[in-house]
Structure formats: structure tokens, C-alpha cells
Amino acid sequence: MSPEIKTFPTPAEVAWAFAQMLYDKSQTAERLNIALSGGSTPKLLFDILATDFKTAIDWKKIHFYWGDERCVPPNHEESNYLMTRKHLFEHIELPQSNVHRILGEDNAREEAENYGNILIDQLPTVDALPQFDLIMLGLGEDGHTASIFPHQMELLTSEEICAVANHPTSGQKRVTLTGPVINNAKAVAFLVTGAGKQDKVKAILQKADGHEQYPAAHINPSHGKLAWWLDEAGS
């Protein structure tokens, strides 16, 4: 199935439209299980949700998870959880039990297994894998997504629910969802803005020669919908 491509003039307009979509979903759902990503566009999104949608959304319905996390403490400046906490959680009425963070401060291998068990416990199971209602993804300039990098393509087909990834330059360990879990979601949304990603976006969407080397090119949900939310600079 071909992805849906949504293009907006600016990153702020991408974030606003995405926030409206989340609001619409929250109106009819009894519970939404969402995996978040880090990055500049999600930060804009969280700011909009924390202000313009602060009271409009029934936050008790939404359970938050992460698609990946750096192996750092939760108060570390590189923590995806910290960014979400500062820009969203601290400004809304959200039960703490609805936040399911990856414990980046713990042993990476043990936490990958532990988080996989949490997902099994919390999420419905489809095809023997936990199923998210929505997974938000970004796109790295090397074509990676979540923390599945080009030098670890095996994570796209791993039998694990979560795995340990290594940043190709710094060697930093990260815990990430694997390809089969991402592709098992009801919906997957790439939020990609900025001219720095344009070449990779075009290569993936147009299936240009060599696009298979980019992990993001292998995201295609088997049960749900794939959408790319882009600004004009990145499209």
C-alpha cells in the first residue's frame, strides 16, 4: 500500500495538523497507545498539545511509550523522555501510570528485554506481537529511523520486540523498537521537516536506486496505514 503524503508550508503547520489529528483520534477512542519520538518537530507538537489542546484532549485515554531512547538518565539533556516531560507532561493532567518510559539509566540489554515485556503486558497482541495504535517516527540524515541505523539492518527483522542499538559515530547505546513491531502498528507516521532530509525523503518515497540501504525505507505497516508528514523544505 502506498503511503499517504501530507505536506505543509512550515514545521509549525506540520505539528499543528498532527495535533489536530491526535485530538480527532482521542474523541472516539477508549484508549490510545502511542509510541513517541524525539526531535525538533515532536518538540513543536508537544508545545502545541500542551497549550492549544491542554484541556481539549482527555489525557486519561492516552498511554505514552517511546520508539527509542538513548541510554542516559531521565534528567539527561539527550533523553527523549525528558524532552517530552518538559514540553508536554508537565503542562497537562496525565496520570503517571499512563507514562511508560524506557529506563535509559539501566543496563541496555536488560532494559530492552524489560521494555519488550511491558509492551506485551500493556498492548493488544496481533500476529504474536504487541500492536500500537500509532507510532511516531523521525528520519535521520543517514536514513535511520527509531534507532535502527544502516549498519544494523538486522534490527528490521529481529525476533526481539526491543533491541540494543549503537550510534554509528558515538557508539552510544540505545534501546529501540525493532522493525517487526513498528510494522505491526495500526498506524505509523513519519514527521520529517527541514531541507537536510529532503534527499532521503525523495529517495525513499520515489523508490530511487539504493533506497533499500535506508532503514526508514523498510517501514510499511502490514495491518495499518503509513503517512509522511512533511514541510515544504523537506518534501
Side-chain angles (χ1 to χ4, degrees):
M1 182 182 296
S2 297
E4 185 177 5
I5 302 170
K6 301 172 179 283
T7 305
F8 302 87
T10 66
E13 288 170 275
V14 173
W16 174 267
F18 198 87
Q20 182 67 51
M21 181 272 290
L22 289 179
Y23 167 78
D24 292 342
K25 280 182 174 291
S26 75
Q27 293 299 100
T28 57
E30 293 185 5
R31 170 170 171 159
L32 283 174
N33 295 301
I34 300 175
L36 304 174
S37 67
S40 57
T41 307
K43 185 183 294 185
L44 282 172
L45 168 66
F46 300 153
D47 287 339
I48 290 169
L49 288 171
T51 53
D52 297 341
F53 293 85
K54 180 175 183 175
T55 58
I57 291 176
D58 183 355
W59 296 104
K60 296 189 298 296
K61 292 182 175 183
I62 304 181
H63 284 248
F64 292 100
Y65 309 78
W66 279 263
D68 68 320
E69 181 61 279
R70 299 170 176 88
C71 291
V72 297
N75 60 350
H76 193 283
E77 62 181 5
E78 294 184 2
S79 167
N80 286 336
Y81 163 76
L82 178 64
M83 188 269 280
T84 312
R85 193 192 82 198
K86 283 186 172 181
H87 289 267
L88 180 59
F89 296 159
E90 291 180 355
H91 309 284
I92 61 175
E93 293 188 11
L94 176 72
Q96 186 59 38
S97 58
N98 287 29
V99 178
H100 309 273
R101 77 175 182 91
I102 298 172
L103 305 182
E105 67 272 28
D106 287 358
N107 175 274
R109 169 49 51 199
E110 293 176 1
E111 180 56 15
E113 182 176 353
N114 176 63
Y115 204 64
N117 289 333
I118 288 173
L119 300 185
I120 290 172
D121 180 63
Q122 290 288 326
L123 304 181
T125 299
V126 175
D127 289 348
L129 288 170
Q131 185 178 64
F132 285 96
D133 294 302
L134 173 64
I135 296 179
M136 292 168 47
L137 294 175
L139 177 70
E141 292 188 6
D142 60 356
H144 84 265
T145 194
S147 280
I148 304 177
F149 295 96
H151 73 287
Q152 289 184 296
M153 298 291 279
E154 68 274 9
L155 298 185
L156 288 165
T157 55
S158 172
E159 294 182 357
E160 298 178 291
I161 295 170
C162 298
V164 179
N166 299 285
H167 189 277
T169 304
S170 68
Q172 180 189 61
K173 289 184 178 180
R174 302 180 177 189
V175 174
T176 184
L177 298 182
T178 59
V181 176
I182 296 173
N183 281 326
N184 202 46
K186 288 183 180 179
V188 176
F190 280 95
L191 278 75
V192 185
T193 58
K197 315 289 180 67
Q198 185 184 64
D199 290 347
K200 297 297 186 299
V201 170
K202 285 186 174 181
I204 292 168
L205 294 181
Q206 296 176 7
K207 294 182 167 46
D209 289 346
H211 76 282
E212 299 94 342
Q213 68 185 297
Y214 307 132
H218 298 267
I219 303 305
N220 188 16
S222 53
H223 297 286
K225 297 179 180 180
L226 175 62
W228 286 74
W229 298 68
L230 309 170
D231 69 343
E232 290 181 355
S235 63

